[in-house]
Amino acid sequence: MILTVTMNPSIDTRYSVDHLVIDDVNRVTPAKTAGGKGLNVSRVLVQLGDDVVATGLLGGHSGAYLGELMDADGITHRFTPIAGESRTCIALLHDGNQTEFLESGPTVSAEELEAFVGNYADLVSKASCVTLSGSLPKGVPADTYARLVAIAAETGVPVLLDTSGAALDAALEADVKPTLVKPNLTEINGLLGTSFTSDDLSDLRQTLAADVRFAGIPWVVVSMGAAGSVAFHDGRTLRARAPRIEAVNATGSGDSTIAGFAHAIAAGSDAEEVLRCGNTCGTLNAMDPQTGHLVMDKWDEIYQGVEISEL
Ligand code: ADP
């Protein structure tokens, strides 16, 4: 099975109004999903037909409700219970804009974190691939993903890391490296202090090779939205270009890409298939109004249409 980790899940709530009326009543019908980047990954893996187990931290009545939402999505879940209440995040779609309200979520105690790490180690021993996605909740040290990477590596299970900020910094500084990291162009420019664009990637390979933080990571994939991605793997630079599509909602395309990578890596696919699968999932998510959901009936067309070239 593929194990997905969501440390700070959320009841993602979407309100849609044609026009937002400020300082007055706006009547809405909410759409609620089990959110957090790892749960987007999980939903896509279910669509791909993978055996998925989602884990992380869940608390309170919101946590119980999140469990029900996961059940409805067909996601098997083995979360560690915590005392704090899991969060709610609100996306307000109005006037052609998306305005978001993101709760920071509960504070996790040291004991709760240790209980989770025990649960995680147990699940990792049964997994063929692990994904670690999103931010860490309050109370969880920044080096926690580095620790989770080391536990997976000890068991010989590939581990895909998709996070940013201090949690990513700590994982990149650690001795044991993840199998794959997938910063987007903005994130990699932030990490390297560069200003690469999808049209000018000429020195990216050399810049990454000169940066000791990326040494020993088998897959460094830089995703570039509609421009596709570029992957550094096994001494090769592979550029993937997705076919031109009508993007409906690209939120969650990075998470869908991670799901595609996990699916192909767990299946033992070759490098080009891994890249093709990840880009297909990112693109099919952008074509679907729901976050972390693929337009599966376009699979063959997009999968065949992704162009992979060696730079
Ligand atoms: P993130 O969501 O992490 O910022 P990206 O926006 O780079 O990630 O998207 C991840 C992948 O999803 C891209 O590499 C690409 O394959 C696909 N994708 C995203 N947006 C689009 C789009 N508008 N058209 C086609 N593919 C897209």
Side-chain angles (χ1 to χ4, degrees), residues 37 162 182-187 221-230 239-258 261 275-287 302 306:
K37 288 164 71 68
D162 185 15
K182 191 219 68 65
N184 63 26
L185 206 47
T186 311
E187 289 161 347
V221 185
V222 177
S223 68
M224 303 181 291
S229 60
V230 59
R239 178 79 168 86
R241 283 188 176 78
R244 198 172 290 277
I245 52 121
E246 193 75 46
V248 179
N249 172 21
T251 310
S253 277
D255 305 331
S256 304
T257 301
I258 287 287
F261 289 150
L275 206 50
R276 189 176 290 280
C277 190
N279 276 268
T280 301
C281 291
T283 304
L284 290 176
N285 176 75
M287 295 167 77
I302 300 298
V306 172

Side-chain angles (χ1 to χ4, degrees), residues 201-242:
L201 298 165
S202 45
D203 291 332
L204 179 54
R205 180 197 179 114
Q206 289 85 331
T207 312
L208 281 172
D211 192 320
V212 65
R213 292 174 297 173
F214 294 93
I217 302 180
W219 282 95
V220 178
V221 185
V222 177
S223 68
M224 303 181 291
S229 60
V230 59
F232 303 90
H233 172 69
D234 217 6
R236 303 169 72 191
T237 304
L238 296 169
R239 178 79 168 86
R241 283 188 176 78

Side-chain angles (χ1 to χ4, degrees), residues 35 47 53 82 91 140 147 176 213 230 235 241 252 255 262 277 304:
Q47 276 195 289
V53 175
I82 58 171
V140 173
R147 203 176 155 197
V176 183
R213 292 174 297 173
V230 59
R241 283 188 176 78
D255 305 331
C277 190
Q304 307 301 339

Side-chain angles (χ1 to χ4, degrees), residues 258-309:
I258 287 287
F261 289 150
H263 171 82
I265 288 174
S269 303
D270 68 26
E272 289 178 23
E273 280 169 342
V274 169
L275 206 50
R276 189 176 290 280
C277 190
N279 276 268
T280 301
C281 291
T283 304
L284 290 176
N285 176 75
M287 295 167 77
D288 195 301
Q290 294 175 66
T291 299
H293 199 268
L294 312 185
V295 182
M296 283 307 280
D297 58 2
K298 298 271 187 224
W299 176 274
D300 288 343
E301 181 186 326
I302 300 298
Y303 191 85
Q304 307 301 339
V306 172
E307 280 176 29
I308 311 265
S309 56

Side-chain angles (χ1 to χ4, degrees), residues 3-12 33-47 52-58 62-63 65-67 69-71 73 75-79 86-87 131-134 252 255-256 258-259 291-293:
L3 183 65
T4 66
V5 174
T6 312
M7 296 298 275
N8 203 4
S10 127
I11 302 172
D12 280 354
T33 49
K37 288 164 71 68
L39 291 172
N40 295 338
V41 175
S42 309
R43 254 195 311 280
V44 171
L45 285 169
V46 167
Q47 276 195 289
V52 189
V53 175
T55 188
L57 303 162
L58 269 192
S62 315
Y65 181 53
L66 275 167
L69 290 173
M70 286 184 243
D71 289 338
D73 285 336
I75 300 170
T76 303
H77 48 97
R78 297 284 179 270
F79 279 73
S86 290
R87 63 187 175 144
T131 69
L132 307 173
S133 306
D255 305 331
S256 304
I258 287 287
T291 299
H293 199 268

